[in-house]
Structures are given as C-alpha cells and as structure tokens.
Amino acid sequence: MINYDVIEKKEILHELFAGLLADLARIIQENSIDINSNAPICDTRRKVREIWGSILTDKYSTMEQMKELEDYYKSVKKQMNQYNLPK
C-alpha cells in the first residue's frame, strides 16, 4: 500500500505536470515550432506528457520518486524561463 503522503504528492505533481504541458504547448505554438520535431522543447514536452500520464499509476510509489519528479519539474520550469514566460 502506498503511503498517504506519497498519494498526496502524486496528486499535486499530476496537476503541476498538467500545467507544464499547457505552458510547453503554448511555447511551441507561439514560437511556430513543429510539435513533432526533435526540437529540445518538443522532446521535453514528450517526456513531460509521458510522466504526467504515469504519475498516478504504480510506476511512481515512493517519496524518493516524488522528489525526483519534483526536481525534474523544477528543471523544466527553469528551461522554460528562456522563453520569457510570465512568472
């Protein structure tokens, strides 16, 4: 059974990653980047989409994994700063 704190963190991260997907889609569209290209931002979007789709599954079930996802979220947010997103 998964710890309640992990479940709570999973739900929060699921919402945060959904927000990342929306921001990444906007960046891609605003910069006229082909979403199917191998541009770094598109590769990042694909990885974020994959993670988002599996956060609520058994693939992620420990607090250590939650920390890794949180760190990845932060790194993507930092990467997105180069596109001058509103804070």
Side-chain angles (χ1 to χ4, degrees), residues 31-86:
N31 288 280
S32 301
I33 300 169
D34 177 5
I35 200 162
N36 297 313
S37 75
N38 289 327
I41 196 79
C42 295
D43 289 340
T44 298
R45 182 187 169 278
R46 283 187 282 277
K47 183 171 181 181
V48 168
R49 187 179 65 202
E50 178 185 323
I51 291 170
W52 175 80
S54 61
I55 287 175
L56 298 179
T57 69
D58 291 341
K59 181 175 180 177
Y60 301 103
S61 59
T62 67
M63 199 51 96
E64 291 79 22
Q65 290 170 320
M66 297 301 100
K67 175 69 173 133
E68 289 172 11
L69 290 177
E70 187 174 1
D71 290 346
Y72 182 69
Y73 169 83
K74 289 175 183 177
S75 74
V76 172
K77 288 296 279 186
K78 186 175 181 178
Q79 176 187 353
M80 289 177 5
N81 285 338
Q82 70 181 344
Y83 292 94
N84 298 318
L85 283 177

Side-chain angles (χ1 to χ4, degrees), residues 7-23:
I7 293 170
E8 183 177 47
K9 192 72 165 177
K10 285 170 76 114
E11 291 174 359
I12 292 167
L13 285 167
H14 191 255
E15 292 298 317
L16 290 173
F17 274 76
L20 278 182
L21 282 173
D23 289 343

